[in-house]
Structures are given as C-alpha cells and as structure tokens.
Amino acid sequence: MSNPHANLERRRQAIYGWLLLSPAALLLSVFAFYPSLATFWSSTFSRGNRRNPSEYIGLENYADLFADPTFWLVVRNNLFYAGVTIPVSIFIALSMALWANSRIPARGFVRTAYFTPTVLPMIAAANLWLFFYTPGLGVLDQIGALFDLPSVNWLGQPETALWAIIIVTIWKEAGFFMIFYLAALQTIPEDLKEAADIEGASRWTYTRRIVLPLLMPTTLFIMVNAMINSVKLIDHLFILTKGGPSDASKLILYYIWEMAFAFFDAPHAAAMTMLVLLVLGIVAAIQFFLIDRRTHYQ
Amino acid sequence: MTAQPFVSLEGIGKRWNGKLGVEDVSLDIPEGAFVALLGPSGCGKSTTLRLLAGLEIPDEGKIIIDGRDVTTRAASERNLSMVFQSYALFPHLSVAENVMFGLKVRRVPRAERLEKLKRALEITGLTGLEDRKPGELSGGQRQRVALARAIVAGQRLCLMDEPLSNLDAKLRNAVRKDIKKLQQDLGITVVYVTHDQTEAMSMADIVVLMKDGRIQQIGTPQELYNAPVNTFVAEFVGAPPMALIRGHALAGFDNDTTIGLRAEHITLAETGKGRLICEVTECEFLGAETFIGLAHDDATGLTLKAPGMALHPSGHTVEIGFADDDLHVFDSGGKRVARAP
Ligand SMILES: Nc1ncnc2c1ncn2[C@@H]1O[C@H](COP(=O)(O)OP(=O)(O)OP(=O)(O)O)[C@@H](O)[C@H]1O
Ligand SMILES: [Mg+2]
C-alpha cells in the first residue's frame, strides 16, 4: 500500500491537469479530431446518386485516386511548389532579417516595407500580381517592351504558370517569416557578437557558427508553417490561374476543392484530404523529432 | 631593454552625442602587471576597457599595445582576450566548443587545439564538464568557462569587465584568488574593471581610480590608501573611508583646507584632552573590533576603530585624539597638499 497522502496528491494533480487540458481538448475534438474521423468515414463510401445510393466500398476511392493521372500531376505540382517556396522564402526571410537587423539607415521603414505583403489579404495580393502578369498591359510586359522583349503570357502558358504562382507565394511569405527571424535576432545578446569579434571571428563565421544555430528553433517553426502553407495557401490560384492552363498550376487543395464543389464528388475529395493529412503529419513528425534533437532552445 | 610600457593610452577621449564618456585618459601599463580600473558606477571604466579592446573607437587619443599603434584597428587584430561581465558564452555550444571557439576561428590544428583545451580546463578546474552546455553550469562554473576561453589562446593581454559581479561573496573571494594566481602563473597582463575597492586593492599591482570619465589617481594600492591625491580618492578608498574634517575645526589649519584622517589613527582621549568632541551615532561590532560611528558638525565619515567589543550608547559624547603626522591635508579645491616635513 502506498502512502495515502501521496495518492491523494497525485489524484489532485491529475484532476488539475485534466481541467487545464479540457478546453483545448474540447475545441480540438469538435473542430479537428471529429472532422478528421468523419472525413475518413465518408472517404470509404461511394459517391451516391439517384440510381445508386452511396454504399461502403472500403479503400476503393483511394485506389481510384492512385489511378488518376490528374491526381499525380497535382501531387507533382504541389511537391515542386513546396520544394521551391519553402527554402527560397526561408532564405529570403533570413537574409532580409539579418539585413534589417543590422545598423542601416531608415531601419524602421525597411522593416515595414518588408512586412507589407503579409498585411495584404491574399486575394488583394493576387489582384496586384495579376496587374503585373497580364500580357500587354502588365508591368512586366511594359518593362520588357522597353528592351524590345516579346510579350509573355506568364499565367497563360504551362511552362511559366506554376512559377508565376510560386513567386507570388514567396513574395507573400518571406516578409511574414522575416518578422519571426527579426524577433529571434533581437533575443541574441549583443555581447556574443563582441566576444566573437575579440576571438577573431569574421562576420560570416559569426553568422554561421553563432547566429544560425541560435535561430534554429525559429527556423524549425517557420519550416513547419511554410510546409503547411504550401498546401494551405491557394487563394491566389482562384484569381490568377484557376489551376490552368491544362492543370499546370493546379495544387492539391485546389483539386480537393474542385472535386468537392465543382464536380460534387465528396468521397474522392475526402480521400484526398485524408492523404494530405497523412503526409503532413508524417513530415511534421520527422521535422520535430529529427531536427528538434539538434536544436538548442534557450 | 628600455622600460617601454606594454600597453599605453595617450589622451583618450570618447563622447556619445557630445555627452561625456571618458576624457583625457592616459595610462601606461608595464608587461605582466595587474591593473584595476576602479570607480563608481558610470565613471567610464567599461568604456575605457572597450576602447582598449577595440569594441569602441576613441574620438581622440592613441592606443598602443606591444609597440603597435592599434587605435583604429579591429578587436581581432589586437591580440587580446576578454572576459565579459555577462560572460558572453555561446549558449548552444558545449564548454569545450566555447573554449576552443577562437582557436577554431584562427585555424589552429586539431591536435594542438585539444592539447590547449585540456590545459585550459585543467587550469580552471573544469575538467569533466567539457560536454555541458553553459545553461547546465552554475554561475561560478560559467565564470570559469569564460576565463578558460580567455586564456586558451595564450594572448598576453587579458581584459576583464567585472567578471565576479554575478557571484556570491564567498565564491567571489575564492575566484579572486584563482584569477590572481592564474595571472601570475601565466605572466600575462590583466586589465580588470571593478567597482569594488576591496577587489581592486587586494588583486591589483596598479589601481586606476576614475570619476566622471576622468582618471583621478594611478598608483599602487598602498599609494592610493596612504597618499590619496584628492578628497574623492580619500573618500573612495578604504573601508571605512577616510574621514574629512573642515580646517577651522582644528587649531593650526587654514579655514578652507580639508583634513583627512583614517579610522585607525583615531584614538579615544580622556575628557579634556581630546582634539575633537563628537557624538556617538552607531556602533558596529565585527568580532575582532568595533567600528564606532561619530558625528561632528564640521566632519564627515568619522569612525573610530576600537579593539574587541566596545559598545557605546548612541548620543554619548566622546573625545578623540590623533597625531599630526597621520593627517592628510587637502586644499580648498580638494587637492592634496604636500606637507612641510
Ligand atoms: N553606448 C553608449 N551610448 C551612450 N552613452 C554611453 C554608452 N556607453 C556608455 N555610455 C555612458 O558613458 C558613461 C560611462 O559608462 P561606462 O559603461 O563606461 O561606466 P562604468 O564605469 O563601466 O559603470 P558601471 O560600473 O555601472 O559598469 C556613462 O555615463 C554612460 O551613460
Ligand atoms: Mg561597466
């Protein structure tokens, strides 16, 4: 028999813990866990219509998806999209933060300027970029015309459409991530730089050996966010390309939306959603468990 | 060999937006000396040290280290090491990596690096803690890591900015001795900033006392204690500090002079035979002796040191005596007056 006081104390602690957890648990259950389960459940049914009512078909919807060339094209697009936007926006954010954190004139202005894209709603940003990209009228073509370059329909041809989308995303995200980096940079004490100076470290060595490692927790956080955004952020597709031409700029979430609300095929949309959740979950887990171990938290 | 100083500051001035930082600081430091920069908060000790380190560039004056004019040189070119008040350890690096940081930067071969690391850790008593992160060390251990990082490169000049201020009194005493011994063993030159005069007096060969950005006196601890050049030095150095008495309170002195008197030179006199009549304000019993605080209308800081337990009720009137030879005389501007022999 263990000590009754210790038992009581442990029970009190447990109740306290559960009480603290319950608001979050409740919200997550209602808005995350239950919908996920419900999505999985509906992904195992066939699409019902007047003649054939919906019935349980197991994983057949998934098999359909794997056989669908458009699905694979969209997956490839999204992987490419993520593969470019994540590293490039992180790199640009970091460079801008390092620059905006050093002693430059009009520092406040530079920071605000960088942050502006983040404040704009994605739809407004997309309209802005539409103005850049429009063939003939757009700013890019106008500039090109000055140098006698031919007019390019950036959004209208399969080779450039996805790139055009990628650039808008980077433009939008880099400023946002920069704010996190700036905040993290402010927490690095000034005297570390001085100590490194006295030890003879160059600016680059200091950045590489001291600043970047100390920014690792921030980078990890930004990476997870960027990854989620690479799936989540599709507002501009609606304005700029609608996934075209010939699916060249279609991303997975846009395809899910199309499947559910344009083709009214909820079960396949559900199946695709489950796959996205699965992949995101796995990647996030890898990021946290692998990189986390090599990260120093202050 | 000529007695050319190892480090020399010539008329250094540094201002921030026209506001005073340090002014006209000139100082010669022989090789192997332990120099303490002492003074109240905000007097420019850290600024002087940072100018010496190359973390700030002076507005005027010249800095010479080891015969080279380094006034405008970068910190890394000055061949010195520094211990920061906050230690400035790299939080994500282990003790070993912290200590070896500078060696790595300077591309010292790996074998030599490890050799030096081992020695530095041995000297500072950190062996066995190589793999800890600074966050997993106690304050005293962190302090020693900072020290190890400063000595590992074998620079001949080491600057320290209040390295002990984060330690408790007991540890401070122990580390103080360690630092002094280390400095002597390695034969390096140390410039040490502190606002604690016991620290300065007990460790330094040369004490530089500063006030409001200016040097007040440079000298050995004995010189500062026995022959303060002005009333500021007199009141700053010593525990308890020197008492100052206005001249007209004593027979035989000009009205506008100030007379300095150390506690150990004051004796209790029999009634009617004393030179000053004072009132007891407080008694502080310290075990071997008792400090008796005295009040007099024309004096500040009068303290009488009595052996053993010697409590007097406050408000009690006592008479004190002292010898003329023990008096320090300062003129109306507070400057020391050389007395006729
Ligand atoms: N970067 C700076 N900008 C403006 N003024 C400064 C700066 N650094 C120091 N000062 C001023 O210079 C004077 C000397 O400062 P310093 O840091 O040298 O004092 P200190 O003697 O080290 O004091 P403490 O014992 O409190 O550390 C102070 O009046 C301070 O306000
Ligand atoms: Mg200071």
Side-chain angles (χ1 to χ4, degrees):
Chain A
M1 281 289 302
S2 65
N3 185 338
H5 289 300
N7 259 339
L8 196 66
E9 177 61 24
R10 196 151 7 130
R11 241 198 358 247
R12 257 224 315 272
Q13 292 278 347
I15 291 172
Y16 187 52
W18 279 109
L19 280 177
L20 285 180
L21 273 179
S22 53
L26 193 73
L27 286 178
L28 278 177
S29 310
V30 173
F31 294 109
F33 300 141
Y34 171 71
S36 309
L37 284 177
T39 306
F40 178 67
W41 184 243
S42 55
S43 76
T44 56
F45 282 82
S46 69
R47 178 186 182 185
N49 54 30
R50 216 171 300 140
R51 263 176 299 145
N52 306 319
S54 164
E55 59 177 355
Y56 180 79
I57 51 168
L59 298 179
E60 215 169 284
N61 284 326
Y62 293 88
D64 288 350
L65 279 181
F66 291 141
D68 172 10
T70 312
F71 173 73
W72 288 114
L73 175 66
V74 169
V75 166
R76 263 206 314 279
N77 281 347
N78 217 138
L79 285 178
F80 181 74
Y81 177 78
V84 176
T85 55
I86 296 174
V88 172
S89 56
I90 289 182
F91 178 78
I92 293 179
L94 183 58
S95 318
M96 291 195 307
L98 287 174
W99 191 59
N101 196 47
S102 57
R103 295 201 188 118
I104 50 166
R107 188 156 70 164
F109 174 77
V110 169
R111 290 180 186 181
T112 316
Y114 283 158
F115 195 55
T116 314
T118 310
V119 189
L120 280 181
M122 198 60 181
I123 299 289
N127 276 306
L128 197 70
W129 279 88
L130 198 58
F131 166 68
F132 291 154
Y133 284 142
T134 309
L137 292 169
V139 171
L140 286 181
D141 262 12
Q142 303 260 5
I143 294 172
L146 291 180
F147 301 97
D148 286 331
L149 295 174
S151 162
V152 182
N153 187 356
W154 299 101
L155 297 169
Q157 42 191 17
E159 305 84 57
T160 54
L162 190 54
W163 279 106
I165 298 290
I166 285 174
I167 286 171
V168 177
T169 307
I170 292 172
W171 173 83
K172 173 89 178 152
E173 291 204 305
F176 185 51
F177 295 153
M178 179 199 70
I179 294 299
F180 290 103
Y181 274 129
L182 263 182
L185 281 172
Q186 318 261 293
T187 67
I188 300 181
E190 185 73 13
D191 54 9
L192 293 190
K193 168 90 178 102
E194 293 176 349
D197 271 352
I198 286 183
E199 299 289 347
S202 64
R203 203 189 159 80
W204 164 238
T205 310
Y206 170 69
T207 306
R208 192 172 53 89
R209 298 273 324 270
I210 310 295
V211 176
L212 293 186
L214 288 179
L215 289 180
M216 249 340 244
T218 312
T219 305
L220 184 63
F221 172 79
I222 289 177
M223 245 160 73
V224 172
N225 266 286
M227 191 191 75
I228 292 169
N229 278 352
S230 73
V231 176
K232 196 175 79 175
L233 210 59
I234 53 153
D235 310 17
H236 50 331
L237 283 185
F238 286 89
I239 303 291
L240 293 175
T241 62
K242 298 198 163 37
S246 54
D247 295 338
S249 66
K250 192 169 284 178
L251 300 178
I252 192 95
L253 191 57
Y254 192 89
Y255 193 41
I256 293 176
W257 174 83
E258 226 175 25
M259 196 67 98
F261 299 107
F263 310 149
F264 297 106
D265 188 350
H268 279 106
M272 234 178 327
T273 308
M274 285 319 293
L275 290 175
V276 170
L277 278 183
L278 187 71
V279 172
L280 282 183
I282 292 173
V283 178
I286 292 175
Q287 281 179 334
F288 271 113
F289 288 112
L290 278 189
I291 307 178
D292 207 46
R293 216 173 298 155
R294 295 195 288 125
T295 301
H296 169 81
Y297 290 96
Q298 264 160 339
Chain B
M1 246 182 71
T2 54
Q4 197 199 20
F6 179 54
V7 176
S8 146
L9 302 176
E10 295 172 14
I12 292 294
K14 171 83 189 173
R15 275 162 234 107
W16 275 284
N17 321 321
K19 280 206 314 197
L20 185 80
V22 296
E23 197 73 50
D24 193 27
V25 168
S26 297
L27 175 63
D28 286 340
I29 302 173
E31 173 135 39
F34 196 114
V35 178
L37 296 180
L38 177 65
S41 187
C43 70
K45 308 173 301 275
S46 297
T47 305
T48 309
L49 200 72
R50 293 168 57 81
L51 286 163
L52 199 50
L55 298 173
E56 312 278 357
I57 300 297
D59 297 330
E60 59 206 34
K62 221 159 106 175
I63 300 175
I64 292 165
I65 298 178
D66 198 13
R68 271 194 323 146
D69 184 343
V70 294
T71 312
T72 55
R73 292 294 180 83
S76 55
E77 294 176 72
R78 299 192 180 195
N79 295 330
L80 47 81
S81 55
M82 182 156 170
V83 179
F84 290 79
Q85 176 168 3
S86 56
Y87 309 145
L89 299 177
F90 306 123
H92 60 296
L93 298 181
S94 68
V95 168
E97 289 167 318
N98 258 293
V99 174
M100 287 193 297
F101 181 83
L103 299 179
K104 248 185 194 160
V105 166
R106 298 200 154 94
R107 302 242 154 72
V108 174
R110 193 181 144 77
E112 191 184 335
R113 220 156 60 200
L114 292 176
E115 183 60 35
K116 284 190 165 161
L117 168 73
K118 192 160 158 270
R119 218 177 100 68
L121 292 182
E122 263 166 25
I123 293 175
T124 50
L126 286 169
T127 314
L129 300 177
E130 290 89 340
D131 297 325
R132 298 260 192 105
K133 296 271 169 68
E136 302 160 348
L137 297 175
S138 73
Q141 289 167 333
R142 274 179 226 178
Q143 200 279 336
R144 280 182 281 157
V145 177
L147 209 56
R149 186 173 68 182
I151 60 171
V152 76
Q155 308 285 19
R156 284 151 67 207
L157 176 60
C158 182
L159 311 178
M160 304 188 186
D161 191 353
E162 309 208 27
L164 306 188
S165 58
N166 291 339
L167 305 184
D168 67 56
K170 204 168 164 194
L171 200 54
R172 204 178 303 178
N173 265 325
V175 181
R176 196 152 81 192
K177 290 200 185 93
D178 291 345
I179 291 182
K180 181 70 187 165
K181 183 166 181 309
L182 197 64
Q183 181 257 340
Q184 282 169 339
D185 290 351
L186 299 175
I188 55 177
T189 311
V190 169
V191 181
Y192 185 102
V193 165
T194 176
H195 60 255
D196 176 354
Q197 53 130 342
T198 33
E199 212 166 280
M201 302 297 269
S202 62
M203 293 168 88
D205 308 316
I206 303 171
V207 177
V208 179
L209 184 57
M210 299 182 69
K211 178 200 175 194
D212 295 341
R214 286 172 186 279
I215 293 183
Q216 302 294 311
Q217 184 168 4
I218 303 175
T220 61
Q222 294 80 343
E223 281 167 352
L224 262 74
Y225 191 84
N226 294 329
V229 295
N230 58 35
T231 49
F232 172 77
V233 180
E235 281 192 299
F236 196 87
V237 173
M242 191 179 275
L244 296 179
I245 308 166
R246 265 185 264 161
H248 65 79
L250 292 175
F253 289 97
D254 286 343
N255 275 353
D256 52 2
T257 54
T258 304
I259 315 297
L261 181 58
R262 290 247 173 245
E264 59 267 36
H265 298 135
I266 302 179
T267 52
L268 260 177
E270 285 170 41
T271 317
K273 289 187 180 163
R275 300 177 72 174
L276 277 180
I277 303 175
C278 317
E279 200 176 288
V280 174
T281 54
E282 78 224 308
C283 289
E284 201 182 345
F285 173 58
L286 295 176
E289 57 198 1
T290 305
F291 285 170
I292 303 165
L294 303 171
H296 186 276
D297 284 345
D298 288 314
T300 54
L302 273 178
T303 307
L304 172 65
K305 238 185 209 175
M309 177 92 146
L311 298 180
H312 289 249
S314 49
H316 193 117
T317 313
V318 292
E319 289 191 28
I320 54 171
F322 37 83
D324 269 348
D325 281 351
D326 295 328
L327 296 180
H328 304 255
V329 183
F330 303 97
D331 66 16
S332 54
K335 275 228 190 69
R336 183 183 190 84
V337 178
R339 276 181 306 154

